[in-house]
Amino acid sequence: MISRRRAAQAAVAAAAAGVTGSLTVAKASASASAGGGGALDAPTGRFAHGLGPVRRTRTDVLDIAYHDVGPARGEPVILLHGWPFSPVGSFAEVAPALARRGYRCYLPYLRGHGQTRFLRDGTLRSGQQAALGADLVAFMDSLRLPWALFAGYDWGGRAGDVAAALWPERCTGLVSVNGYLIQNLAVAQEPLAPAREEGYWYFFYFLTERGRSGLLRDREGLARVVWRRNSPEWRFTEAEFAEAAALWTNPDYVDVVIHSYRHRLAAAPGDPRYAELERRLLGRPKIAVPTVTLDGQADGVIPPTDGSGYAAHFSGSWAHHVVHDAGHNLPQEQPRAFVDAILEVDAMR
């Protein structure tokens, strides 16, 4: 039976999403009415491994491509990929494993990736953190998902963290690789230790027009360097790389990536539509929903820790684990550990 707190959250979320009629208390029933609301991508009809066809749904800003996997009445989980990776590769084993356990998984393609498109030419191709978090909630609204468990890494983990912090009533639990990922833009110009800055080399490369030209000229070459450096023990296949590379032909890919890193280092203004959200994020809001954080023991860009450095940002139930033989793309490298983290956080509720 759902808790009174959970029922109240559902009612608030449903009202925000514009769900009409009475809301059944059982989460599975709400998920069933929400799931499968997107249209099939008729021009391609492409199936991605066991993830089903590419579907599409519209928000106020984007036409979002996504997959959904699992029983229609299952508990909703949104799996959020990072850069420069793919939801198909990252969650090819995670999503079917969760579906077998009765979860309904949604795998959206981030703005600037794959078949996700902006609706209007005049929209700033922003990659800022507030935009990613807002996209996640707008995606849920478009599918009439009152709530979901968020699980992601890198850009996707940041989207989940932002949405969990600012819209906690929409989030039943959070799995976040590399801990608390909300950027502290107030100290964007403060240097880190040189060893840490070395791993962020592409941040500084993208600050320059040389970097923009380099990304535009050789998206695959740059991504290959990132994959190898950020996950030095991962032996990915050429087929896995080629699958992800297909996403980077998106016409907005370069603009979104460049803006993301320039905004992160306070070198580019954000989209005014997200100004209030960014103002709230400057306060480094705590995340109150049940959370499991993961660090990859072999992460080449963010060294693993015991989690104590960001524990204070999680005010609800929280657990932390270091995953051996995993780098930055943790769910693709160690899918079982990622699935276990989702099951763990779901049990915390």
Side-chain angles (χ1 to χ4, degrees), residues 129-146:
Q129 60 179 351
L132 299 177
D135 287 348
L136 171 53
V137 175
F139 173 72
M140 295 174 68
D141 288 349
S142 71
L143 296 182
R144 296 190 174 184
L145 281 173

PDB file of all heavy atoms in Angstrom, residues 129-146:
ATOM      1  N   GLN A 129      22.652  23.202 -16.910  1.00  0.00           N
ATOM      2  CA  GLN A 129      22.072  22.206 -16.013  1.00  0.00           C
ATOM      3  C   GLN A 129      20.576  22.406 -15.788  1.00  0.00           C
ATOM      4  O   GLN A 129      19.814  21.433 -15.716  1.00  0.00           O
ATOM      5  CB  GLN A 129      22.811  22.207 -14.684  1.00  0.00           C
ATOM      6  CG  GLN A 129      22.783  23.527 -13.926  1.00  0.00           C
ATOM      7  CD  GLN A 129      23.516  23.448 -12.591  1.00  0.00           C
ATOM      8  OE1 GLN A 129      23.911  22.384 -12.128  1.00  0.00           O
ATOM      9  NE2 GLN A 129      23.706  24.596 -11.962  1.00  0.00           N
ATOM     10  N   ALA A 130      20.119  23.640 -15.673  1.00  0.00           N
ATOM     11  CA  ALA A 130      18.697  23.888 -15.448  1.00  0.00           C
ATOM     12  C   ALA A 130      17.862  23.420 -16.630  1.00  0.00           C
ATOM     13  O   ALA A 130      16.745  22.919 -16.459  1.00  0.00           O
ATOM     14  CB  ALA A 130      18.451  25.367 -15.178  1.00  0.00           C
ATOM     15  N   ALA A 131      18.400  23.570 -17.833  1.00  0.00           N
ATOM     16  CA  ALA A 131      17.685  23.108 -19.020  1.00  0.00           C
ATOM     17  C   ALA A 131      17.526  21.593 -19.000  1.00  0.00           C
ATOM     18  O   ALA A 131      16.460  21.059 -19.321  1.00  0.00           O
ATOM     19  CB  ALA A 131      18.418  23.547 -20.282  1.00  0.00           C
ATOM     20  N   LEU A 132      18.579  20.885 -18.616  1.00  0.00           N
ATOM     21  CA  LEU A 132      18.518  19.428 -18.573  1.00  0.00           C
ATOM     22  C   LEU A 132      17.497  18.949 -17.547  1.00  0.00           C
ATOM     23  O   LEU A 132      16.725  18.013 -17.801  1.00  0.00           O
ATOM     24  CB  LEU A 132      19.894  18.855 -18.262  1.00  0.00           C
ATOM     25  CG  LEU A 132      21.015  19.178 -19.263  1.00  0.00           C
ATOM     26  CD1 LEU A 132      22.334  18.603 -18.776  1.00  0.00           C
ATOM     27  CD2 LEU A 132      20.681  18.659 -20.653  1.00  0.00           C
ATOM     28  N   GLY A 133      17.484  19.580 -16.374  1.00  0.00           N
ATOM     29  CA  GLY A 133      16.511  19.208 -15.348  1.00  0.00           C
ATOM     30  C   GLY A 133      15.095  19.528 -15.768  1.00  0.00           C
ATOM     31  O   GLY A 133      14.167  18.730 -15.546  1.00  0.00           O
ATOM     32  N   ALA A 134      14.904  20.702 -16.387  1.00  0.00           N
ATOM     33  CA  ALA A 134      13.568  21.085 -16.847  1.00  0.00           C
ATOM     34  C   ALA A 134      13.081  20.158 -17.954  1.00  0.00           C
ATOM     35  O   ALA A 134      11.890  19.836 -18.033  1.00  0.00           O
ATOM     36  CB  ALA A 134      13.579  22.531 -17.321  1.00  0.00           C
ATOM     37  N   ASP A 135      14.000  19.734 -18.828  1.00  0.00           N
ATOM     38  CA  ASP A 135      13.624  18.790 -19.890  1.00  0.00           C
ATOM     39  C   ASP A 135      13.078  17.492 -19.306  1.00  0.00           C
ATOM     40  O   ASP A 135      12.124  16.916 -19.826  1.00  0.00           O
ATOM     41  CB  ASP A 135      14.838  18.452 -20.759  1.00  0.00           C
ATOM     42  CG  ASP A 135      15.263  19.575 -21.687  1.00  0.00           C
ATOM     43  OD1 ASP A 135      14.508  20.552 -21.844  1.00  0.00           O
ATOM     44  OD2 ASP A 135      16.366  19.461 -22.261  1.00  0.00           O
ATOM     45  N   LEU A 136      13.702  17.026 -18.240  1.00  0.00           N
ATOM     46  CA  LEU A 136      13.266  15.777 -17.617  1.00  0.00           C
ATOM     47  C   LEU A 136      11.833  15.890 -17.102  1.00  0.00           C
ATOM     48  O   LEU A 136      10.988  15.011 -17.356  1.00  0.00           O
ATOM     49  CB  LEU A 136      14.222  15.408 -16.481  1.00  0.00           C
ATOM     50  CG  LEU A 136      13.829  14.240 -15.574  1.00  0.00           C
ATOM     51  CD1 LEU A 136      13.503  12.995 -16.375  1.00  0.00           C
ATOM     52  CD2 LEU A 136      14.937  13.973 -14.557  1.00  0.00           C
ATOM     53  N   VAL A 137      11.525  16.964 -16.401  1.00  0.00           N
ATOM     54  CA  VAL A 137      10.178  17.142 -15.863  1.00  0.00           C
ATOM     55  C   VAL A 137       9.174  17.372 -16.995  1.00  0.00           C
ATOM     56  O   VAL A 137       8.048  16.841 -16.960  1.00  0.00           O
ATOM     57  CB  VAL A 137      10.156  18.294 -14.851  1.00  0.00           C
ATOM     58  CG1 VAL A 137       8.740  18.577 -14.367  1.00  0.00           C
ATOM     59  CG2 VAL A 137      11.055  17.961 -13.655  1.00  0.00           C
ATOM     60  N   ALA A 138       9.571  18.120 -18.020  1.00  0.00           N
ATOM     61  CA  ALA A 138       8.678  18.341 -19.159  1.00  0.00           C
ATOM     62  C   ALA A 138       8.414  17.033 -19.905  1.00  0.00           C
ATOM     63  O   ALA A 138       7.300  16.809 -20.410  1.00  0.00           O
ATOM     64  CB  ALA A 138       9.274  19.385 -20.097  1.00  0.00           C
ATOM     65  N   PHE A 139       9.413  16.176 -19.987  1.00  0.00           N
ATOM     66  CA  PHE A 139       9.247  14.854 -20.585  1.00  0.00           C
ATOM     67  C   PHE A 139       8.201  14.053 -19.813  1.00  0.00           C
ATOM     68  O   PHE A 139       7.300  13.440 -20.398  1.00  0.00           O
ATOM     69  CB  PHE A 139      10.596  14.138 -20.579  1.00  0.00           C
ATOM     70  CG  PHE A 139      10.567  12.695 -21.016  1.00  0.00           C
ATOM     71  CD1 PHE A 139      10.364  12.363 -22.344  1.00  0.00           C
ATOM     72  CD2 PHE A 139      10.783  11.676 -20.099  1.00  0.00           C
ATOM     73  CE1 PHE A 139      10.363  11.022 -22.749  1.00  0.00           C
ATOM     74  CE2 PHE A 139      10.780  10.348 -20.488  1.00  0.00           C
ATOM     75  CZ  PHE A 139      10.559  10.013 -21.822  1.00  0.00           C
ATOM     76  N   MET A 140       8.287  14.092 -18.486  1.00  0.00           N
ATOM     77  CA  MET A 140       7.302  13.401 -17.658  1.00  0.00           C
ATOM     78  C   MET A 140       5.905  13.983 -17.878  1.00  0.00           C
ATOM     79  O   MET A 140       4.916  13.246 -17.979  1.00  0.00           O
ATOM     80  CB  MET A 140       7.698  13.503 -16.192  1.00  0.00           C
ATOM     81  CG  MET A 140       8.996  12.795 -15.854  1.00  0.00           C
ATOM     82  SD  MET A 140       9.530  13.089 -14.152  1.00  0.00           S
ATOM     83  CE  MET A 140       8.253  12.220 -13.224  1.00  0.00           C
ATOM     84  N   ASP A 141       5.822  15.305 -17.936  1.00  0.00           N
ATOM     85  CA  ASP A 141       4.520  15.944 -18.171  1.00  0.00           C
ATOM     86  C   ASP A 141       3.913  15.492 -19.493  1.00  0.00           C
ATOM     87  O   ASP A 141       2.722  15.209 -19.586  1.00  0.00           O
ATOM     88  CB  ASP A 141       4.675  17.463 -18.191  1.00  0.00           C
ATOM     89  CG  ASP A 141       4.932  18.060 -16.818  1.00  0.00           C
ATOM     90  OD1 ASP A 141       4.782  17.336 -15.809  1.00  0.00           O
ATOM     91  OD2 ASP A 141       5.291  19.248 -16.750  1.00  0.00           O
ATOM     92  N   SER A 142       4.742  15.407 -20.534  1.00  0.00           N
ATOM     93  CA  SER A 142       4.237  15.059 -21.857  1.00  0.00           C
ATOM     94  C   SER A 142       3.683  13.639 -21.893  1.00  0.00           C
ATOM     95  O   SER A 142       2.767  13.345 -22.667  1.00  0.00           O
ATOM     96  CB  SER A 142       5.339  15.217 -22.910  1.00  0.00           C
ATOM     97  OG  SER A 142       6.327  14.205 -22.779  1.00  0.00           O
ATOM     98  N   LEU A 143       4.223  12.757 -21.051  1.00  0.00           N
ATOM     99  CA  LEU A 143       3.755  11.373 -20.981  1.00  0.00           C
ATOM    100  C   LEU A 143       2.770  11.149 -19.835  1.00  0.00           C
ATOM    101  O   LEU A 143       2.359  10.019 -19.591  1.00  0.00           O
ATOM    102  CB  LEU A 143       4.954  10.428 -20.825  1.00  0.00           C
ATOM    103  CG  LEU A 143       5.948  10.392 -21.981  1.00  0.00           C
ATOM    104  CD1 LEU A 143       7.052   9.379 -21.702  1.00  0.00           C
ATOM    105  CD2 LEU A 143       5.260  10.067 -23.297  1.00  0.00           C
ATOM    106  N   ARG A 144       2.440  12.233 -19.123  1.00  0.00           N
ATOM    107  CA  ARG A 144       1.544  12.155 -17.966  1.00  0.00           C
ATOM    108  C   ARG A 144       2.059  11.156 -16.932  1.00  0.00           C
ATOM    109  O   ARG A 144       1.292  10.348 -16.386  1.00  0.00           O
ATOM    110  CB  ARG A 144       0.122  11.822 -18.412  1.00  0.00           C
ATOM    111  CG  ARG A 144      -0.503  12.909 -19.275  1.00  0.00           C
ATOM    112  CD  ARG A 144      -1.969  12.665 -19.504  1.00  0.00           C
ATOM    113  NE  ARG A 144      -2.579  13.796 -20.209  1.00  0.00           N
ATOM    114  CZ  ARG A 144      -3.879  13.903 -20.479  1.00  0.00           C
ATOM    115  NH1 ARG A 144      -4.703  12.942 -20.091  1.00  0.00           N
ATOM    116  NH2 ARG A 144      -4.340  14.954 -21.111  1.00  0.00           N
ATOM    117  N   LEU A 145       3.336  11.261 -16.684  1.00  0.00           N
ATOM    118  CA  LEU A 145       3.959  10.468 -15.626  1.00  0.00           C
ATOM    119  C   LEU A 145       3.960  11.301 -14.349  1.00  0.00           C
ATOM    120  O   LEU A 145       4.703  12.281 -14.256  1.00  0.00           O
ATOM    121  CB  LEU A 145       5.401  10.116 -15.989  1.00  0.00           C
ATOM    122  CG  LEU A 145       5.647   8.970 -16.962  1.00  0.00           C
ATOM    123  CD1 LEU A 145       7.122   8.900 -17.321  1.00  0.00           C
ATOM    124  CD2 LEU A 145       5.180   7.658 -16.374  1.00  0.00           C
ATOM    125  N   PRO A 146       3.170  10.974 -13.354  1.00  0.00           N
ATOM    126  CA  PRO A 146       3.150  11.778 -12.139  1.00  0.00           C
ATOM    127  C   PRO A 146       4.477  11.742 -11.394  1.00  0.00           C
ATOM    128  O   PRO A 146       4.870  12.731 -10.788  1.00  0.00           O
ATOM    129  CB  PRO A 146       2.030  11.149 -11.303  1.00  0.00           C
ATOM    130  CG  PRO A 146       1.196  10.371 -12.272  1.00  0.00           C
ATOM    131  CD  PRO A 146       2.154   9.900 -13.323  1.00  0.00           C
TER     132      PRO A 146
END
